[in-house]
Coordinates of all heavy atoms in Angstrom, one line a residue:
M6 N 0.8 -1.2 0.0 CA 0.0 0.0 0.0 C 0.9 1.3 0.0 O 0.6 2.2 -0.8 CB -0.9 0.0 1.2 CG -1.8 1.2 1.3 SD -3.0 1.0 2.5 CE -2.9 2.6 3.3
L7 N 1.9 1.3 0.8 CA 2.7 2.5 0.9 C 3.4 2.8 -0.4 O 3.7 3.9 -0.7 CB 3.6 2.5 2.1 CG 3.0 2.4 3.5 CD1 4.1 2.3 4.5 CD2 2.2 3.7 3.7
K8 N 3.8 1.7 -1.1 CA 4.4 1.9 -2.4 C 3.6 2.8 -3.3 O 4.1 3.6 -4.1 CB 4.8 0.6 -3.0 CG 5.6 0.7 -4.3 CD 6.0 -0.6 -4.8 CE 6.9 -0.5 -6.0 NZ 7.3 -1.7 -6.6
N9 N 2.3 2.6 -3.3 CA 1.4 3.4 -4.1 C 1.4 4.9 -3.8 O 1.1 5.7 -4.6 CB 0.0 2.9 -4.0 CG -0.2 1.5 -4.6 OD1 0.5 1.1 -5.4 ND2 -1.2 0.8 -4.1
Y10 N 1.9 5.2 -2.6 CA 2.0 6.6 -2.2 C 3.4 7.2 -2.3 O 3.7 8.2 -1.7 CB 1.4 6.8 -0.8 CG 0.0 6.4 -0.7 CD1 -0.5 6.0 0.6 CD2 -0.9 6.5 -1.7 CE1 -1.8 5.7 0.7 CE2 -2.3 6.2 -1.6 CZ -2.7 5.8 -0.3 OH -4.0 5.4 -0.1
A11 N 4.3 6.4 -2.9 CA 5.7 6.8 -3.0 C 6.4 6.9 -1.6 O 7.2 7.7 -1.4 CB 5.9 8.1 -3.8
M12 N 5.9 6.1 -0.7 CA 6.5 6.1 0.6 C 7.3 4.8 0.9 O 7.6 4.5 2.1 CB 5.4 6.2 1.7 CG 4.7 7.6 1.6 SD 3.3 7.8 2.7 CE 4.0 7.5 4.3
D13 N 7.5 4.0 -0.1 CA 8.2 2.7 0.1 C 9.7 2.9 0.3 O 10.4 2.2 0.9 CB 8.0 1.8 -1.1 CG 8.3 2.4 -2.4 OD1 8.2 3.6 -2.5 OD2 8.7 1.6 -3.3
E14 N 10.3 4.0 -0.3 CA 11.7 4.4 -0.3 C 11.8 5.8 -0.7 O 10.8 6.4 -1.2 CB 12.5 3.5 -1.2 CG 12.1 3.6 -2.6 CD 12.9 2.6 -3.5 OE1 12.8 1.4 -3.3 OE2 13.5 3.1 -4.4
P15 N 12.9 6.5 -0.5 CA 13.1 7.9 -0.9 C 12.9 8.0 -2.4 O 13.4 7.2 -3.2 CB 14.5 8.2 -0.5 CG 14.8 7.3 0.7 CD 14.1 6.0 0.3
H16 N 12.2 9.0 -2.8 CA 11.9 9.3 -4.2 C 12.3 10.7 -4.5 O 12.3 11.6 -3.6 CB 10.5 9.1 -4.6 CG 10.0 7.7 -4.5 ND1 10.0 6.9 -5.6 CD2 9.5 6.9 -3.5 CE1 9.5 5.7 -5.3 NE2 9.2 5.7 -4.0
T17 N 12.7 11.0 -5.7 CA 13.0 12.4 -6.1 C 12.0 12.7 -7.2 O 11.8 11.9 -8.2 CB 14.4 12.5 -6.6 OG1 15.3 12.1 -5.6 CG2 14.7 13.9 -7.1
F18 N 11.3 13.9 -7.1 CA 10.4 14.3 -8.1 C 10.9 15.7 -8.6 O 11.5 16.4 -7.9 CB 9.0 14.5 -7.5 CG 8.5 13.2 -7.0 CD1 8.4 12.9 -5.6 CD2 8.0 12.2 -7.8 CE1 7.9 11.7 -5.1 CE2 7.5 11.0 -7.3 CZ 7.5 10.8 -6.0
P19 N 10.5 16.0 -9.9 CA 10.9 17.3 -10.5 C 10.3 18.4 -9.8 O 9.1 18.3 -9.3 CB 10.5 17.2 -11.9 CG 9.5 16.1 -12.0 CD 9.7 15.2 -10.8
S20 N 10.9 19.5 -9.7 CA 10.4 20.7 -9.1 C 10.8 22.0 -9.9 O 11.5 21.8 -10.9 CB 10.9 20.9 -7.7 OG 12.3 21.1 -7.7
I21 N 10.3 23.1 -9.5 CA 10.6 24.4 -10.1 C 11.2 25.3 -9.0 O 10.4 26.1 -8.4 CB 9.4 25.0 -10.8 CG1 8.6 24.0 -11.6 CG2 9.8 26.2 -11.6 CD1 7.3 24.5 -12.1
A22 N 12.4 25.2 -8.8 CA 13.0 25.9 -7.6 C 12.9 27.4 -7.7 O 12.6 28.1 -6.8 CB 14.5 25.5 -7.5
G23 N 13.1 27.9 -8.9 CA 13.0 29.4 -9.1 C 11.6 29.9 -8.8 O 11.4 30.9 -8.2
F24 N 10.6 29.2 -9.3 CA 9.2 29.6 -9.0 C 8.9 29.4 -7.6 O 8.2 30.3 -7.0 CB 8.2 28.8 -9.9 CG 6.8 29.1 -9.7 CD1 6.3 30.4 -10.1 CD2 5.9 28.3 -9.0 CE1 5.0 30.7 -9.9 CE2 4.6 28.6 -8.8 CZ 4.1 29.8 -9.2
A25 N 9.4 28.4 -7.0 CA 9.1 28.2 -5.5 C 9.7 29.3 -4.7 O 9.1 29.8 -3.8 CB 9.8 26.8 -5.1
R26 N 10.9 29.8 -5.1 CA 11.5 30.9 -4.4 C 10.6 32.2 -4.5 O 10.4 32.9 -3.6 CB 12.9 31.2 -5.0 CG 13.6 32.4 -4.4 CD 14.0 32.2 -3.0 NE 14.6 33.4 -2.4 CZ 15.8 33.4 -1.9 NH1 16.5 32.3 -1.7 NH2 16.3 34.5 -1.4
K27 N 10.1 32.4 -5.7 CA 9.3 33.6 -6.0 C 8.0 33.5 -5.2 O 7.5 34.4 -4.6 CB 8.9 33.7 -7.5 CG 10.1 34.1 -8.3 CD 10.4 35.6 -8.0 CE 11.5 36.0 -9.0 NZ 12.1 37.3 -8.6
L28 N 7.4 32.3 -5.1 CA 6.2 32.0 -4.3 C 6.4 32.3 -2.8 O 5.6 33.0 -2.2 CB 5.8 30.6 -4.5 CG 4.4 30.1 -4.0 CD1 3.3 30.9 -4.7 CD2 4.2 28.7 -4.2
I29 N 7.6 31.9 -2.3 CA 7.9 32.2 -0.9 C 8.0 33.7 -0.7 O 7.5 34.2 0.3 CB 9.3 31.5 -0.5 CG1 9.1 30.0 -0.5 CG2 9.8 32.0 0.8 CD1 10.4 29.2 -0.4
E30 N 8.7 34.4 -1.6 CA 8.8 35.8 -1.5 C 7.5 36.5 -1.5 O 7.2 37.5 -0.8 CB 9.7 36.4 -2.6 CG 11.2 35.9 -2.5 CD 12.0 36.2 -3.7 OE1 11.5 36.7 -4.7 OE2 13.2 35.9 -3.7
K31 N 6.6 36.1 -2.4 CA 5.2 36.7 -2.5 C 4.4 36.4 -1.2 O 3.7 37.3 -0.8 CB 4.5 36.2 -3.7 CG 5.1 36.7 -5.0 CD 5.0 38.3 -5.1 CE 5.5 38.8 -6.4 NZ 5.5 40.2 -6.4
F32 N 4.5 35.2 -0.7 CA 3.9 34.9 0.6 C 4.3 35.9 1.7 O 3.5 36.4 2.4 CB 4.1 33.5 1.0 CG 3.3 32.4 0.4 CD1 3.7 31.1 0.3 CD2 2.1 32.7 -0.2 CE1 2.9 30.1 -0.3 CE2 1.3 31.7 -0.8 CZ 1.7 30.4 -0.8
I33 N 5.6 36.0 1.8 CA 6.2 36.9 2.8 C 5.7 38.4 2.5 O 5.4 39.1 3.5 CB 7.7 36.8 2.8 CG1 8.1 35.4 3.4 CG2 8.3 37.9 3.7 CD1 9.6 35.1 3.2
D34 N 5.7 38.8 1.3 CA 5.2 40.2 0.9 C 3.8 40.4 1.4 O 3.4 41.5 1.6 CB 5.3 40.4 -0.6 CG 6.7 40.6 -1.1 OD1 7.7 40.8 -0.3 OD2 6.9 40.5 -2.3
H35 N 3.0 39.3 1.4 CA 1.6 39.4 1.8 C 1.4 38.9 3.3 O 0.3 38.5 3.7 CB 0.7 38.6 0.9 CG 0.6 39.2 -0.5 ND1 1.5 39.0 -1.5 CD2 -0.3 40.0 -1.0 CE1 1.1 39.7 -2.5 NE2 0.0 40.3 -2.2
D36 N 2.4 39.0 4.1 CA 2.4 38.7 5.5 C 1.9 37.3 5.8 O 1.2 37.1 6.8 CB 1.5 39.7 6.3 CG 2.0 41.2 6.2 OD1 3.2 41.3 6.3 OD2 1.2 42.1 6.1
I37 N 2.3 36.4 5.0 CA 2.0 35.0 5.3 C 3.3 34.3 5.7 O 4.4 34.4 5.0 CB 1.5 34.2 4.0 CG1 0.2 34.9 3.5 CG2 1.4 32.8 4.2 CD1 -0.2 34.5 2.2
D38 N 3.3 33.8 6.9 CA 4.5 33.2 7.5 C 4.8 31.9 6.8 O 3.9 31.1 6.6 CB 4.4 33.0 9.0 CG 4.1 34.3 9.8 OD1 4.7 35.3 9.4 OD2 3.4 34.2 10.7
V39 N 6.1 31.7 6.4 CA 6.5 30.4 5.7 C 7.7 29.9 6.3 O 8.5 30.6 7.0 CB 6.7 30.7 4.2 CG1 5.4 31.2 3.6 CG2 7.8 31.6 4.0
G40 N 7.9 28.6 6.1 CA 9.2 28.0 6.4 C 9.6 27.2 5.1 O 8.7 26.9 4.3
A41 N 10.8 27.1 4.8 CA 11.2 26.5 3.5 C 12.4 25.5 3.8 O 13.2 25.7 4.7 CB 11.7 27.5 2.5
A42 N 12.4 24.4 3.0 CA 13.5 23.5 3.1 C 13.9 23.1 1.6 O 13.0 22.8 0.8 CB 13.1 22.2 3.9
A43 N 15.2 23.1 1.4 CA 15.6 22.7 0.0 C 15.9 21.2 -0.1 O 15.9 20.7 -1.2 CB 16.9 23.5 -0.3
Q44 N 16.1 20.6 1.1 CA 16.4 19.1 1.0 C 16.1 18.5 2.4 O 16.0 19.2 3.4 CB 17.8 18.9 0.7 CG 18.9 19.4 1.7 CD 20.3 19.2 1.2 OE1 20.5 19.2 0.0 NE2 21.2 19.0 2.1
V45 N 16.0 17.2 2.4 CA 15.8 16.5 3.7 C 17.1 15.8 3.9 O 17.6 15.1 3.1 CB 14.7 15.5 3.5 CG1 14.5 14.6 4.8 CG2 13.4 16.2 3.2
Q46 N 17.7 16.0 5.1 CA 19.0 15.5 5.4 C 19.0 13.9 5.4 O 19.9 13.3 4.9 CB 19.5 16.0 6.8 CG 20.0 17.4 6.7 CD 20.6 17.9 8.0 OE1 20.6 17.2 9.0 NE2 21.0 19.1 8.0
D47 N 18.0 13.3 6.0 CA 17.9 11.9 6.1 C 16.6 11.4 5.6 O 15.6 11.3 6.4 CB 18.2 11.4 7.5 CG 18.2 9.8 7.6 OD1 17.9 9.2 6.5 OD2 18.4 9.3 8.7
P48 N 16.4 11.2 4.3 CA 15.1 10.8 3.7 C 14.5 9.5 4.3 O 13.3 9.3 4.1 CB 15.3 10.8 2.2 CG 16.8 10.5 2.1 CD 17.5 11.2 3.3
Y49 N 15.4 8.7 4.9 CA 14.8 7.5 5.5 C 14.2 7.8 6.9 O 13.4 7.0 7.4 CB 15.9 6.4 5.7 CG 16.3 5.8 4.4 CD1 17.4 6.3 3.7 CD2 15.6 4.8 3.8 CE1 17.8 5.7 2.5 CE2 15.9 4.2 2.6 CZ 17.0 4.7 1.9 OH 17.4 4.2 0.7
A50 N 14.5 8.9 7.5 CA 14.0 9.3 8.8 C 12.8 10.2 8.7 O 11.9 10.2 9.5 CB 15.1 10.0 9.6
S51 N 12.8 11.0 7.6 CA 11.6 12.0 7.5 C 11.5 12.4 6.0 O 12.5 12.2 5.2 CB 11.8 13.2 8.3 OG 13.0 13.9 8.0
G52 N 10.4 12.9 5.6 CA 10.2 13.3 4.3 C 8.7 13.6 4.1 O 8.0 13.8 5.1
F53 N 8.2 13.6 2.9 CA 6.8 13.9 2.6 C 6.0 12.7 2.8 O 6.4 11.6 2.5 CB 6.7 14.5 1.2 CG 7.4 15.8 1.0 CD1 8.3 16.0 0.0 CD2 7.1 16.9 1.8 CE1 8.9 17.2 -0.1 CE2 7.7 18.1 1.7 CZ 8.6 18.3 0.7
G54 N 4.8 12.8 3.2 CA 3.9 11.7 3.3 C 3.0 11.5 2.1 O 3.2 12.0 1.0
H55 N 1.9 10.7 2.4 CA 1.0 10.4 1.3 C 0.3 11.6 0.7 O -0.2 11.5 -0.4 CB 0.0 9.3 1.8 CG -1.0 9.9 2.8 ND1 -0.7 10.0 4.1 CD2 -2.2 10.3 2.6 CE1 -1.7 10.5 4.8 NE2 -2.7 10.7 3.9
G56 N 0.2 12.7 1.4 CA -0.5 13.9 0.9 C 0.2 14.5 -0.3 O -0.4 15.2 -1.1
I57 N 1.5 14.2 -0.4 CA 2.3 14.6 -1.6 C 2.5 13.4 -2.6 O 2.2 13.5 -3.8 CB 3.7 15.1 -1.2 CG1 3.6 16.3 -0.2 CG2 4.5 15.5 -2.4 CD1 2.9 17.5 -0.8
G58 N 2.8 12.3 -2.0 CA 3.0 11.1 -2.9 C 1.8 10.6 -3.6 O 1.9 10.2 -4.8
F59 N 0.7 10.6 -3.0 CA -0.5 10.1 -3.6 C -0.9 10.9 -4.9 O -1.0 10.2 -6.0 CB -1.7 10.1 -2.7 CG -3.0 9.6 -3.3 CD1 -3.3 8.3 -3.3 CD2 -3.9 10.5 -3.9 CE1 -4.4 7.7 -3.8 CE2 -5.1 10.0 -4.4 CZ -5.3 8.6 -4.4
P60 N -1.0 12.2 -4.9 CA -1.3 12.9 -6.2 C -0.2 12.7 -7.2 O -0.5 12.6 -8.4 CB -1.5 14.3 -5.8 CG -1.1 14.5 -4.4 CD -0.9 13.1 -3.8
I61 N 1.0 12.7 -6.8 CA 2.1 12.5 -7.8 C 2.0 11.1 -8.5 O 2.1 11.0 -9.7 CB 3.5 12.7 -7.2 CG1 3.7 14.2 -6.8 CG2 4.6 12.3 -8.1 CD1 4.9 14.5 -6.0
V62 N 1.9 10.1 -7.7 CA 1.8 8.7 -8.3 C 0.5 8.5 -9.0 O 0.5 8.0 -10.1 CB 2.1 7.7 -7.1 CG1 1.9 6.3 -7.7 CG2 3.5 7.9 -6.6
R63 N -0.6 8.8 -8.3 CA -1.9 8.4 -8.9 C -2.4 9.3 -9.9 O -3.0 8.9 -10.9 CB -2.9 8.3 -7.7 CG -2.6 7.2 -6.7 CD -2.8 5.8 -7.2 NE -4.1 5.4 -7.7 CZ -5.0 5.0 -6.9 NH1 -4.8 4.7 -5.6 NH2 -6.2 4.7 -7.4
L64 N -2.2 10.6 -9.8 CA -2.8 11.5 -10.7 C -1.9 11.8 -11.9 O -2.3 12.0 -13.0 CB -3.2 12.8 -10.0 CG -4.2 12.7 -8.9 CD1 -4.5 14.1 -8.3 CD2 -5.5 12.1 -9.4
F65 N -0.6 11.9 -11.7 CA 0.3 12.2 -12.7 C 0.6 11.0 -13.6 O 1.1 11.1 -14.7 CB 1.7 12.7 -12.2 CG 1.6 14.0 -11.5 CD1 0.4 14.7 -11.3 CD2 2.7 14.6 -10.9 CE1 0.3 15.9 -10.7 CE2 2.6 15.8 -10.2 CZ 1.4 16.5 -10.1
R66 N 0.4 9.8 -13.1 CA 0.5 8.5 -13.8 C 1.9 8.4 -14.6 O 1.9 8.1 -15.8 CB -0.6 8.3 -14.8 CG -1.9 8.2 -14.0 CD -3.1 8.0 -15.0 NE -4.3 8.0 -14.2 CZ -5.3 7.2 -14.5 NH1 -5.3 6.4 -15.5 NH2 -6.4 7.3 -13.8
G67 N 2.9 8.7 -13.9 CA 4.3 8.6 -14.5 C 4.8 9.8 -15.3 O 5.9 9.8 -15.7
K68 N 3.9 10.8 -15.5 CA 4.4 12.0 -16.2 C 5.3 12.8 -15.2 O 5.0 12.9 -14.0 CB 3.2 12.9 -16.6 CG 2.3 12.2 -17.6 CD 1.1 13.1 -17.9 CE 0.1 12.3 -18.8 NZ -1.2 12.9 -18.7
K69 N 6.3 13.4 -15.8 CA 7.3 14.2 -15.0 C 6.8 15.6 -14.9 O 7.2 16.5 -15.6 CB 8.7 14.1 -15.6 CG 9.2 12.7 -15.7 CD 9.4 12.1 -14.3 CE 10.0 10.7 -14.4 NZ 9.9 10.0 -13.2
I70 N 5.8 15.8 -14.0 CA 5.3 17.2 -13.9 C 5.9 17.8 -12.6 O 5.9 17.2 -11.5 CB 3.7 17.1 -13.7 CG1 3.1 16.5 -14.9 CG2 3.2 18.5 -13.4 CD1 1.6 16.1 -14.7
P71 N 6.5 19.0 -12.8 CA 7.2 19.6 -11.6 C 6.2 20.0 -10.5 O 5.0 20.3 -10.8 CB 7.8 20.9 -12.2 CG 7.9 20.6 -13.7 CD 6.8 19.7 -14.0
V72 N 6.6 19.8 -9.3 CA 5.7 20.1 -8.1 C 6.4 21.0 -7.2 O 7.7 21.1 -7.1 CB 5.3 18.8 -7.4 CG1 4.5 17.9 -8.3 CG2 6.5 18.0 -6.9
I73 N 5.6 21.8 -6.4 CA 6.1 22.5 -5.3 C 5.2 22.2 -4.1 O 4.1 22.6 -4.1 CB 6.0 24.1 -5.6 CG1 6.9 24.5 -6.8 CG2 6.4 24.8 -4.3 CD1 6.7 25.9 -7.2
P74 N 5.7 21.3 -3.3 CA 4.9 20.9 -2.1 C 4.6 22.0 -1.2 O 5.5 22.7 -0.8 CB 5.7 19.8 -1.4 CG 6.8 19.4 -2.4 CD 7.0 20.6 -3.3
L75 N 3.3 22.3 -0.9 CA 3.0 23.2 0.1 C 2.3 22.5 1.3 O 1.3 21.8 1.1 CB 2.0 24.2 -0.5 CG 2.4 25.1 -1.6 CD1 1.3 26.0 -2.2 CD2 3.6 25.9 -1.3
L76 N 2.9 22.6 2.4 CA 2.4 21.9 3.6 C 1.8 22.8 4.6 O 2.4 23.9 4.9 CB 3.5 21.1 4.2 CG 4.3 20.2 3.3 CD1 5.5 19.6 4.0 CD2 3.5 19.1 2.7
L77 N 0.7 22.5 5.2 CA 0.0 23.2 6.2 C 0.1 22.4 7.5 O -0.1 21.2 7.4 CB -1.4 23.6 5.9 CG -1.7 24.6 4.8 CD1 -3.1 24.6 4.5 CD2 -1.2 26.0 5.3
N78 N 0.3 23.0 8.6 CA 0.2 22.3 9.9 C -1.3 22.0 10.2 O -2.0 22.9 10.7 CB 0.8 23.2 11.0 CG 0.6 22.5 12.4 OD1 0.4 21.3 12.5 ND2 0.6 23.3 13.4
T79 N -1.7 20.8 9.9 CA -3.1 20.4 10.2 C -3.1 19.4 11.4 O -4.1 18.9 11.7 CB -3.7 19.8 9.0 OG1 -3.0 18.6 8.6 CG2 -3.8 20.7 7.9
Y80 N -1.9 19.2 12.0 CA -1.8 18.2 13.1 C -1.6 18.7 14.5 O -2.1 18.2 15.4 CB -0.7 17.3 12.7 CG -0.8 16.6 11.4 CD1 0.1 17.0 10.3 CD2 -1.7 15.6 11.1 CE1 0.0 16.4 9.1 CE2 -1.8 15.0 9.9 CZ -0.9 15.4 8.9 OH -1.0 14.8 7.7
Y81 N -0.7 19.7 14.6 CA -0.2 20.1 15.9 C -0.7 21.4 16.4 O -0.3 22.5 15.9 CB 1.3 20.0 15.9 CG 1.8 18.7 15.4 CD1 2.4 18.6 14.1 CD2 1.8 17.6 16.1 CE1 2.9 17.4 13.6 CE2 2.2 16.3 15.7 CZ 2.8 16.3 14.4 OH 3.2 15.1 14.0
P82 N -1.5 21.4 17.4 CA -1.9 22.7 18.0 C -0.7 23.3 18.8 O 0.2 22.5 19.1 CB -3.1 22.3 19.0 CG -3.0 20.9 19.1 CD -2.2 20.3 18.0
P83 N -0.7 24.5 19.1 CA -1.8 25.5 18.9 C -1.7 26.3 17.6 O -2.6 27.1 17.5 CB -1.5 26.4 20.1 CG 0.0 26.5 20.2 CD 0.4 25.1 19.8
N84 N -0.8 26.0 16.8 CA -0.7 26.9 15.6 C -1.2 26.3 14.3 O -0.8 26.8 13.2 CB 0.8 27.4 15.4 CG 1.7 26.2 15.1 OD1 1.4 25.1 15.5 ND2 2.8 26.5 14.5
A85 N -2.1 25.4 14.4 CA -2.8 24.9 13.1 C -3.7 26.0 12.6 O -4.5 26.6 13.4 CB -3.6 23.7 13.4
P86 N -3.6 26.4 11.4 CA -4.4 27.5 10.9 C -5.9 27.1 10.8 O -6.3 26.0 10.6 CB -3.9 27.8 9.5 CG -3.3 26.5 9.1 CD -2.8 25.8 10.3
R87 N -6.7 28.1 11.0 CA -8.2 27.9 10.9 C -8.6 27.9 9.4 O -7.8 28.4 8.6 CB -8.9 29.1 11.6 CG -8.7 29.0 13.1 CD -9.6 30.1 13.8 NE -9.6 29.9 15.2 CZ -8.7 30.5 16.0 NH1 -7.8 31.3 15.5 NH2 -8.7 30.3 17.3
A88 N -9.7 27.4 9.1 CA -10.2 27.2 7.7 C -10.2 28.6 7.0 O -9.8 28.7 5.8 CB -11.5 26.6 7.7
A89 N -10.6 29.6 7.7 CA -10.7 31.0 7.1 C -9.3 31.4 6.7 O -9.1 32.0 5.6 CB -11.3 32.0 8.0
R90 N -8.3 31.1 7.5 CA -6.9 31.5 7.2 C -6.4 30.8 6.0 O -5.8 31.3 5.1 CB -6.0 31.2 8.4 CG -4.5 31.5 8.2 CD -4.2 33.0 8.2 NE -2.8 33.2 8.3 CZ -2.2 34.1 7.6 NH1 -2.9 35.0 6.9 NH2 -0.9 34.2 7.7
C91 N -6.7 29.5 5.9 CA -6.3 28.7 4.7 C -7.0 29.2 3.5 O -6.3 29.3 2.4 CB -6.7 27.2 4.9 SG -5.8 26.4 6.2
H92 N -8.2 29.6 3.6 CA -9.0 30.2 2.4 C -8.3 31.5 2.0 O -8.1 31.7 0.8 CB -10.4 30.4 2.8 CG -11.2 31.1 1.7 ND1 -11.3 32.4 1.6 CD2 -11.9 30.5 0.7 CE1 -12.1 32.7 0.5 NE2 -12.4 31.5 0.0
D93 N -7.9 32.3 2.9 CA -7.2 33.6 2.6 C -5.9 33.3 1.9 O -5.6 34.1 1.0 CB -7.0 34.4 3.9 CG -8.3 34.9 4.4 OD1 -9.3 34.9 3.7 OD2 -8.3 35.4 5.6
I94 N -5.2 32.4 2.4 CA -3.9 32.0 1.7 C -4.1 31.6 0.3 O -3.5 32.0 -0.6 CB -3.1 31.0 2.5 CG1 -2.7 31.6 3.9 CG2 -1.9 30.5 1.8 CD1 -2.1 30.6 4.9

């Protein structure tokens, strides 16, 4: 099951680093707090979950479409954003 979500081993997917940088800058210009990471030091210990792997594997169907993963804290209070904040972003 996890293989279907690209969680069976570390995977590398194409991205658009320059656009990602511009996106980060625009978020900051609009007072949206962001964190960014260019790489994961130990991909066997941490990385992206099924929320990223599922659409890449299942929807892209092998096409090499560049992605920019955007992650929201939906797990850990107290700083999980409210629905209205996500809508505004």
Side-chain angles (χ1 to χ4, degrees):
M6 179 170 136
L7 294 178
K8 184 175 183 178
N9 293 336
Y10 299 153
M12 294 174 59
D13 56 331
E14 62 184 59
H16 292 266
T17 301
F18 300 105
S20 65
I21 310 171
F24 180 69
R26 176 66 184 238
K27 291 288 185 192
L28 191 60
I29 291 167
E30 291 169 359
K31 291 296 181 184
F32 279 159
I33 293 169
D34 288 346
H35 287 86
D36 297 323
I37 298 168
D38 299 324
V39 300
Q44 66 185 28
V45 176
Q46 289 184 355
D47 183 358
Y49 288 96
S51 63
F53 297 122
H55 68 276
I57 301 298
F59 181 85
I61 290 172
V62 172
R63 296 290 299 272
L64 300 179
F65 295 0
R66 298 182 184 215
K68 295 176 184 160
K69 301 296 182 193
I70 300 172
V72 295
I73 300 171
L75 299 176
L76 308 173
L77 288 171
N78 172 24
T79 59
Y80 304 108
Y81 304 106
N84 63 334
R87 292 186 171 91
R90 177 76 169 140
C91 294
H92 178 269
D93 291 347
I94 291 171

